[in-house]
Amino acid sequence: MPFTGVEEQASNTQKVVKKFKMDFLLLRIREEFIHKALVFLLFFRIFDAIRDFRKSPAYGRHLDSTFNRLGKMSAKVGWILMESPAVFVTLAVFFKGQHNHEIVPRCFLALFEAHYIHRTFIFPMGIKTGATRMPIVTAMMASLFNALNGYIQGRWISHYGYYPTQWLTAPQFLFGIVIFATGMLINIWADRLLLHLRASSQEKVYKVPHGGLFEYVTCPNYLGEILEWLGWSIMTWSSTGLGFFVSTVCFLGPRANAHHDWYLKKFSDYPQSRKSLIPFLW
């Protein structure tokens, strides 16, 4: 018996709905695959670290002239450009997640945003006007990484990961948040001390920092940041968090070594007992 006009229209509508559901499912599968692939890429920073340990990393005072080809920008503007994607991309992604209304994911978001709001809007305000200018290439590369990582972390805590309210009393969360908070305090303290080493914006003389953890390591600011993301990986108990921690160690470890070697060469009276990154060990 042939379809009537109404039945045919209903049948076509069902086909369209079914196709839409299939396309939506495929899209979700593709996105989950892309997310996992990006997490996997975080671990590839290990190869960058191997290269950078053998050769001084291209960062900060260790940059060569090739990074200046696109010009330089204000250090303040550069910092804001670099760090802001982690603030805004993470927020945008988080509120698209299926768990965005739940307590634990919102706690994770608050901690992540606290770090990056400080790095984006508070830390740069302490950079003196006459500070060394930042290569545009450096700012662009860091901005891209922070945008991708903001997506990776934000999507995990709000969508792919599942954290019931009981997670707030889990040993992983409690231990992780203590490490995260400790690292953040160390990072902020060390950065503030370094920013205040120069008496004025016009002063270009490097000085040896003293006090607190600076008596034990050259880069307590790096140590603090590494501790933050170690705490994050424990709190989230995920390959996503672990990948970010490993990526951070691979990025900051070689730079701590390079800074330490630079200080030893620059200052004949630099304390020989100081380590690069970890007190008494490294």
Side-chain angles (χ1 to χ4, degrees):
M1 181 177 177
F3 285 136
T4 66
V6 173
E7 290 172 331
E8 186 175 0
Q9 185 177 3
S11 176
N12 290 337
T13 301
Q14 287 176 351
K15 289 178 182 178
V16 170
V17 170
K18 186 176 180 180
K19 185 178 184 302
F20 176 79
K21 287 181 178 178
M22 287 297 296
D23 289 345
F24 183 71
L25 179 61
L26 288 172
L27 183 63
R28 288 186 63 180
I29 292 171
R30 288 193 195 104
E31 192 208 352
E32 189 169 358
F33 174 79
I34 291 170
H35 184 270
K36 288 179 178 179
L38 289 172
V39 171
F40 184 69
L41 285 175
L42 288 175
F43 290 93
F44 264 70
R45 291 291 282 271
I46 292 171
F47 296 105
D48 287 338
I50 293 171
R51 178 202 64 203
D52 289 343
F53 273 121
R54 297 173 65 181
K55 180 183 177 182
S56 291
Y59 181 79
R61 64 176 70 104
H62 312 294
L63 282 173
D64 57 45
S65 58
T66 58
F67 278 78
N68 297 327
R69 288 176 181 173
L70 291 182
K72 293 185 176 184
M73 62 170 57
S74 157
K76 284 186 180 182
V77 174
W79 269 103
I80 294 170
L81 177 64
M82 284 196 308
E83 305 290 346
S84 58
V87 175
F88 299 115
V89 172
T90 309
L91 278 173
V93 168
F94 181 88
F95 287 106
K96 295 288 186 181
Q98 61 181 332
H99 303 301
N100 74 78
H101 60 285
E102 296 171 11
I103 294 174
V104 180
R106 291 201 171 196
C107 286
F108 288 147
L109 177 68
L111 292 168
F112 192 87
E113 290 292 318
H115 171 85
Y116 279 106
I117 286 173
H118 176 267
R119 299 296 291 173
T120 304
F121 302 112
I122 300 174
F123 170 76
M125 296 305 105
I127 299 174
K128 294 180 171 60
T129 306
T132 304
R133 292 171 66 79
M134 179 184 295
I136 293 174
V137 172
T138 300
M140 291 172 61
M141 291 171 62
S143 181
L144 176 61
F145 172 81
N146 281 324
L148 289 173
N149 189 55
Y151 163 76
I152 294 169
Q153 306 302 322
R155 197 62 171 154
W156 173 261
I157 61 175
S158 71
H159 193 76
Y160 294 122
Y162 173 63
Y163 300 95
T165 305
Q166 297 92 312
W167 190 256
L168 292 175
T169 58
Q172 298 98 314
F173 182 85
L174 296 174
F175 186 49
I177 198 170
V178 169
I179 295 175
F180 183 94
T182 301
M184 189 168 182
L185 289 173
I186 291 172
N187 181 249
I188 291 172
W189 166 81
D191 277 341
R192 285 177 62 86
L193 192 148
L194 289 171
L195 286 173
H196 287 85
L197 270 183
R198 293 179 180 178
S200 71
S201 61
Q202 303 303 316
E203 190 174 359
K204 301 295 184 182
V205 178
Y206 284 101
K207 298 177 181 177
V208 176
H210 289 283
L213 277 171
F214 278 107
E215 301 302 329
Y216 301 95
V217 294
T218 297
C219 301
N221 51 331
Y222 291 174
L223 173 61
E225 187 154 358
I226 287 171
L227 286 174
E228 282 185 77
W229 303 122
L230 171 61
W232 177 262
S233 69
I234 295 171
M235 270 192 295
T236 60
W237 207 245
S238 64
S239 59
T240 304
L242 179 62
F244 188 21
F245 166 67
V246 169
S247 175
T248 302
V249 173
C250 292
F251 181 74
L252 296 181
R255 282 149 186 78
N257 265 14
H259 282 349
H260 186 69
D261 291 343
W262 183 87
Y263 272 107
L264 287 171
K265 293 173 183 175
K266 180 77 173 178
F267 301 97
S268 58
D269 58 344
Y270 193 75
Q272 298 295 312
S273 61
R274 284 190 196 181
K275 299 296 183 180
S276 300
L277 190 62
I278 302 175
F280 312 113
L281 296 176
W282 171 18

